[in-house]
mmCIF file of all heavy atoms in Angstrom:
data_model
loop_
_atom_site.group_PDB
_atom_site.id
_atom_site.type_symbol
_atom_site.label_atom_id
_atom_site.label_comp_id
_atom_site.label_asym_id
_atom_site.label_seq_id
_atom_site.Cartn_x
_atom_site.Cartn_y
_atom_site.Cartn_z
ATOM 1 N N ASP A 128 185.840 105.527 18.431
ATOM 2 C CA ASP A 128 185.480 106.444 17.361
ATOM 3 C C ASP A 128 184.526 107.532 17.823
ATOM 4 O O ASP A 128 184.509 108.572 17.237
ATOM 5 C CB ASP A 128 184.851 105.662 16.158
ATOM 6 C CG ASP A 128 185.891 104.662 15.405
ATOM 7 O OD1 ASP A 128 187.078 104.921 15.670
ATOM 8 O OD2 ASP A 128 185.401 103.788 14.782
ATOM 9 N N ARG A 129 183.813 107.335 18.901
ATOM 10 C CA ARG A 129 182.948 108.278 19.364
ATOM 11 C C ARG A 129 183.589 109.121 20.538
ATOM 12 O O ARG A 129 182.950 109.953 21.072
ATOM 13 C CB ARG A 129 181.636 107.705 19.972
ATOM 14 C CG ARG A 129 180.753 107.008 18.900
ATOM 15 C CD ARG A 129 179.544 106.563 19.482
ATOM 16 N NE ARG A 129 178.651 105.795 18.561
ATOM 17 C CZ ARG A 129 177.302 105.648 18.699
ATOM 18 N NH1 ARG A 129 176.718 106.104 19.797
ATOM 19 N NH2 ARG A 129 176.640 104.920 17.759
ATOM 20 N N ASN A 130 184.818 108.867 20.739
ATOM 21 C CA ASN A 130 185.566 109.577 21.713
ATOM 22 C C ASN A 130 184.954 109.436 23.221
ATOM 23 O O ASN A 130 185.113 110.307 24.074
ATOM 24 C CB ASN A 130 185.710 111.147 21.402
ATOM 25 C CG ASN A 130 186.455 111.269 20.217
ATOM 26 O OD1 ASN A 130 187.513 110.727 19.945
ATOM 27 N ND2 ASN A 130 186.006 112.169 19.338
ATOM 28 N N LEU A 131 184.362 108.288 23.403
ATOM 29 C CA LEU A 131 183.601 108.096 24.663
ATOM 30 C C LEU A 131 184.648 107.731 25.767
ATOM 31 O O LEU A 131 184.232 107.844 26.967
ATOM 32 C CB LEU A 131 182.613 106.994 24.517
ATOM 33 C CG LEU A 131 181.411 107.401 23.679
ATOM 34 C CD1 LEU A 131 180.480 106.197 23.504
ATOM 35 C CD2 LEU A 131 180.598 108.517 24.255
ATOM 36 N N PHE A 132 185.809 107.293 25.431
ATOM 37 C CA PHE A 132 186.849 106.978 26.503
ATOM 38 C C PHE A 132 187.581 108.225 27.075
ATOM 39 O O PHE A 132 188.199 108.101 28.073
ATOM 40 C CB PHE A 132 187.872 105.976 25.944
ATOM 41 C CG PHE A 132 187.405 104.561 25.859
ATOM 42 C CD1 PHE A 132 187.622 103.864 24.654
ATOM 43 C CD2 PHE A 132 186.633 103.928 26.874
ATOM 44 C CE1 PHE A 132 187.025 102.615 24.516
ATOM 45 C CE2 PHE A 132 186.113 102.654 26.680
ATOM 46 C CZ PHE A 132 186.329 101.994 25.585
ATOM 47 N N GLU A 133 187.322 109.362 26.439
ATOM 48 C CA GLU A 133 187.777 110.560 26.942
ATOM 49 C C GLU A 133 187.073 110.869 28.329
ATOM 50 O O GLU A 133 185.877 111.010 28.301
ATOM 51 C CB GLU A 133 187.736 111.804 26.022
ATOM 52 C CG GLU A 133 188.627 111.612 24.785
ATOM 53 C CD GLU A 133 188.473 112.803 23.907
ATOM 54 O OE1 GLU A 133 187.844 113.867 24.322
ATOM 55 O OE2 GLU A 133 189.012 112.841 22.815
ATOM 56 N N GLY A 134 187.798 111.001 29.463
ATOM 57 C CA GLY A 134 187.155 111.179 30.715
ATOM 58 C C GLY A 134 186.767 109.923 31.361
ATOM 59 O O GLY A 134 186.199 109.946 32.466
ATOM 60 N N ALA A 135 187.112 108.786 30.715
ATOM 61 C CA ALA A 135 186.888 107.510 31.454
ATOM 62 C C ALA A 135 188.047 107.252 32.366
ATOM 63 O O ALA A 135 188.912 108.082 32.583
ATOM 64 C CB ALA A 135 186.690 106.350 30.311
ATOM 65 N N ALA A 136 188.146 106.035 32.928
ATOM 66 C CA ALA A 136 189.121 105.757 33.963
ATOM 67 C C ALA A 136 189.331 104.275 34.095
ATOM 68 O O ALA A 136 188.465 103.491 33.803
ATOM 69 C CB ALA A 136 188.896 106.449 35.229
ATOM 70 N N PHE A 137 190.547 103.873 34.574
ATOM 71 C CA PHE A 137 190.704 102.552 35.227
ATOM 72 C C PHE A 137 190.253 102.722 36.696
ATOM 73 O O PHE A 137 190.835 103.604 37.333
ATOM 74 C CB PHE A 137 192.124 102.118 35.067
ATOM 75 C CG PHE A 137 192.302 101.580 33.684
ATOM 76 C CD1 PHE A 137 193.066 102.386 32.757
ATOM 77 C CD2 PHE A 137 192.006 100.297 33.262
ATOM 78 C CE1 PHE A 137 193.309 101.913 31.494
ATOM 79 C CE2 PHE A 137 192.160 99.834 32.002
ATOM 80 C CZ PHE A 137 192.886 100.684 31.085
ATOM 81 N N TYR A 138 189.350 101.974 37.157
ATOM 82 C CA TYR A 138 188.790 102.221 38.529
ATOM 83 C C TYR A 138 188.910 101.038 39.430
ATOM 84 O O TYR A 138 188.496 101.095 40.565
ATOM 85 C CB TYR A 138 187.369 102.728 38.437
ATOM 86 C CG TYR A 138 186.465 101.891 37.421
ATOM 87 C CD1 TYR A 138 185.976 100.788 37.873
ATOM 88 C CD2 TYR A 138 186.176 102.464 36.201
ATOM 89 C CE1 TYR A 138 185.133 99.990 36.916
ATOM 90 C CE2 TYR A 138 185.339 101.685 35.345
ATOM 91 C CZ TYR A 138 184.848 100.504 35.773
ATOM 92 O OH TYR A 138 184.074 99.749 34.902
ATOM 93 N N ARG A 139 189.354 99.889 38.923
ATOM 94 C CA ARG A 139 189.356 98.602 39.755
ATOM 95 C C ARG A 139 190.563 97.807 39.418
ATOM 96 O O ARG A 139 190.970 97.687 38.343
ATOM 97 C CB ARG A 139 188.040 97.817 39.398
ATOM 98 C CG ARG A 139 187.850 96.599 40.297
ATOM 99 C CD ARG A 139 186.579 95.807 39.783
ATOM 100 N NE ARG A 139 186.405 94.651 40.605
ATOM 101 C CZ ARG A 139 185.724 93.581 40.126
ATOM 102 N NH1 ARG A 139 185.134 93.658 38.915
ATOM 103 N NH2 ARG A 139 185.596 92.542 40.814
ATOM 104 N N THR A 140 191.154 97.301 40.538
ATOM 105 C CA THR A 140 192.253 96.388 40.332
ATOM 106 C C THR A 140 191.932 95.092 41.214
ATOM 107 O O THR A 140 191.513 95.252 42.344
ATOM 108 C CB THR A 140 193.647 97.048 40.898
ATOM 109 O OG1 THR A 140 194.648 96.061 40.782
ATOM 110 C CG2 THR A 140 193.558 97.475 42.288
ATOM 111 N N VAL A 141 192.049 93.979 40.532
ATOM 112 C CA VAL A 141 191.855 92.723 41.179
ATOM 113 C C VAL A 141 193.161 91.988 41.314
ATOM 114 O O VAL A 141 193.763 91.732 40.286
ATOM 115 C CB VAL A 141 190.757 91.896 40.442
ATOM 116 C CG1 VAL A 141 190.432 90.510 41.263
ATOM 117 C CG2 VAL A 141 189.512 92.710 40.143
ATOM 118 N N ARG A 142 193.550 91.706 42.432
ATOM 119 C CA ARG A 142 194.883 91.057 42.691
ATOM 120 C C ARG A 142 194.826 90.311 44.004
ATOM 121 O O ARG A 142 193.792 90.308 44.754
ATOM 122 C CB ARG A 142 195.966 92.154 42.788
ATOM 123 C CG ARG A 142 195.668 93.227 43.819
ATOM 124 C CD ARG A 142 196.564 94.455 43.631
ATOM 125 N NE ARG A 142 196.387 95.421 44.737
ATOM 126 C CZ ARG A 142 196.580 96.767 44.620
ATOM 127 N NH1 ARG A 142 196.954 97.275 43.519
ATOM 128 N NH2 ARG A 142 196.412 97.421 45.735
ATOM 129 N N PRO A 143 195.814 89.486 44.365
ATOM 130 C CA PRO A 143 195.707 88.601 45.396
ATOM 131 C C PRO A 143 195.388 89.276 46.857
ATOM 132 O O PRO A 143 194.654 88.585 47.644
ATOM 133 C CB PRO A 143 197.124 87.901 45.512
ATOM 134 C CG PRO A 143 197.581 88.012 44.115
ATOM 135 C CD PRO A 143 197.071 89.294 43.579
#
Side-chain angles (χ1 to χ4, degrees):
D128 293 340
R129 295 186 183 198
N130 297 317
L131 292 174
F132 285 131
E133 291 182 11
F137 285 98
Y138 47 78
R139 184 180 177 206
T140 179
V141 184
R142 56 195 187 206

